Amino acid sequence: MQTPSNDDHDETPTQIDLAMLFMTDLHVGSERLYKVKRRGTSLNLRYEIDGVMHQRSYLSALSWRAILLFALTEGKTVAVHEMDQPGRYRRLFPKTMLRRLQWHARPDANFPPVARLYDPNSKAVMLLTRNRVCGHAVDTLHNLTDGGPVFQPLWISDIMALRPMLGIELVRDETFSATMPISAYMETAAVTGRIVEERELLGLPLTRSIPRLETQPPSKAVRSVFDQACLENPALEALRGVTIYDDYSFV
């Protein structure tokens, strides 16, 4: 699977990545994304599956999730060309940034975040650390939930859907540059209940004791898509309990 026109990015997704992503729910406030979307809204997508171009609008984030799951588990190549408004996908996720996120996609990572997304009209913030399933998903530290910051992998399509479906119009912080590892942001998020900026991190006493930030279990609807994939590929079942923390070393 590869991103468009990215010849050095032709890896296949790992089963661990697939299991982790397809058991992940994005909560906004206290509800799941697919339950709180505004009536009549959709996410526009233009993509290829094995070279066949598609252009469609999906009313639910779960629809695209199911299409990806079954295409990827069947070994098909999926390349996304556009999401949401024309040009917005590459403004938020340029190829150079995806390559940096891919470089961070290695075992026992604890790199500084690569990018910061924020909504100018709210307090919504996301720090991106690495990519998964070859550019279709990213690991994020975000504050979209009511229960405090969360560290979890998210589908890029879910991030892009926040604008049309909920009015959360994330933009990329062009001035962002981080030197502190993501563990420092996570530790302060656990202590303060918010995502702090790096200049504030430099003045805080850090203990390197990194708690697991709380996440909500996946809904029945999300589990059902993964359950179906497990019937097709029983090896996925053994990976049901894998979490994002298994890919990081915070020692």
Side-chain angles (χ1 to χ4, degrees):
M1 183 174 58
Q2 58 190 17
T3 53
S5 304
N6 191 357
D7 296 334
D8 61 351
H9 195 120
D10 58 355
E11 302 175 16
T12 55
T14 68
Q15 287 193 326
I16 290 177
D17 279 353
L18 290 174
M20 194 180 303
L21 264 297
F22 285 104
M23 286 297 289
T24 296
D25 251 345
L26 171 57
H27 281 67
V28 181
S30 60
E31 289 286 356
R32 299 171 177 90
L33 169 63
Y34 74 91
K35 290 189 67 176
V36 296
K37 66 180 291 290
R38 295 180 295 185
R39 185 180 298 275
T41 59
S42 62
L43 175 65
N44 299 320
L45 282 156
R46 185 163 63 89
Y47 60 94
E48 290 180 61
I49 296 181
D50 277 356
V52 178
M53 187 70 72
H54 303 268
Q55 185 156 353
R56 295 175 182 166
S57 295
Y58 292 97
L59 299 175
S60 169
L62 295 179
S63 301
W64 174 242
R65 182 184 295 221
I67 289 171
L68 266 183
L69 175 59
F70 295 113
L72 297 177
T73 53
E74 291 170 7
K76 296 180 179 179
T77 299
V78 181
V80 174
H81 293 273
E82 192 61 89
M83 291 186 182
D84 193 26
Q85 298 171 322
R88 184 166 181 259
Y89 174 46
R90 283 304 175 203
R91 286 198 302 272
L92 276 185
F93 295 94
K95 296 172 188 176
T96 52
M97 189 180 85
L98 287 177
R99 283 194 286 268
R100 287 187 64 200
L101 290 167
Q102 174 61 23
W103 191 82
H104 286 192
R106 56 193 65 204
D108 299 329
N110 186 20
F111 297 102
V114 170
R116 177 179 182 266
L117 308 181
Y118 71 99
D119 177 14
N121 300 312
S122 73
K123 296 181 179 180
V125 174
M126 284 188 176
L127 299 182
L128 313 184
T129 67
R130 57 161 283 174
N131 82 24
R132 293 189 185 273
V133 285
C134 310
H136 287 287
V138 289
D139 286 359
T140 70
L141 176 65
H142 68 82
N143 64 351
L144 294 176
T145 71
D146 282 346
V150 172
F151 187 50
Q152 67 179 155
L154 291 178
W155 292 105
I156 288 177
S157 56
D158 285 359
I159 296 173
M160 298 297 294
L162 290 170
R163 188 207 65 82
M165 294 184 174
L166 291 177
I168 301 174
E169 190 161 0
L170 295 173
V171 297
R172 188 160 51 92
D173 184 350
E174 301 284 357
T175 67
F176 180 77
S177 178
T179 59
M180 300 285 281
I182 189 61
S183 60
Y185 289 89
M186 292 170 60
E187 180 179 346
T188 55
V191 172
T192 66
R194 57 190 178 89
I195 299 175
V196 303
E197 297 187 18
E198 178 141 326
R199 63 177 179 269
E200 186 177 352
L201 280 178
L202 297 174
L204 295 174
L206 300 177
T207 66
R208 296 188 180 181
S209 175
I210 315 301
R212 295 199 173 200
L213 301 175
E214 186 176 352
T215 57
Q216 296 296 320
S219 67
K220 182 178 180 180
V222 168
R223 290 198 309 270
S224 66
V225 176
F226 186 71
D227 290 344
Q228 182 61 38
C230 289
L231 294 176
E232 303 282 340
N233 183 3
L236 286 174
E237 182 63 47
L239 301 172
R240 191 182 290 269
V242 172
T243 74
I244 188 173
Y245 293 91
D246 296 317
D247 278 334
Y248 288 79
S249 176
F250 298 134
V251 178

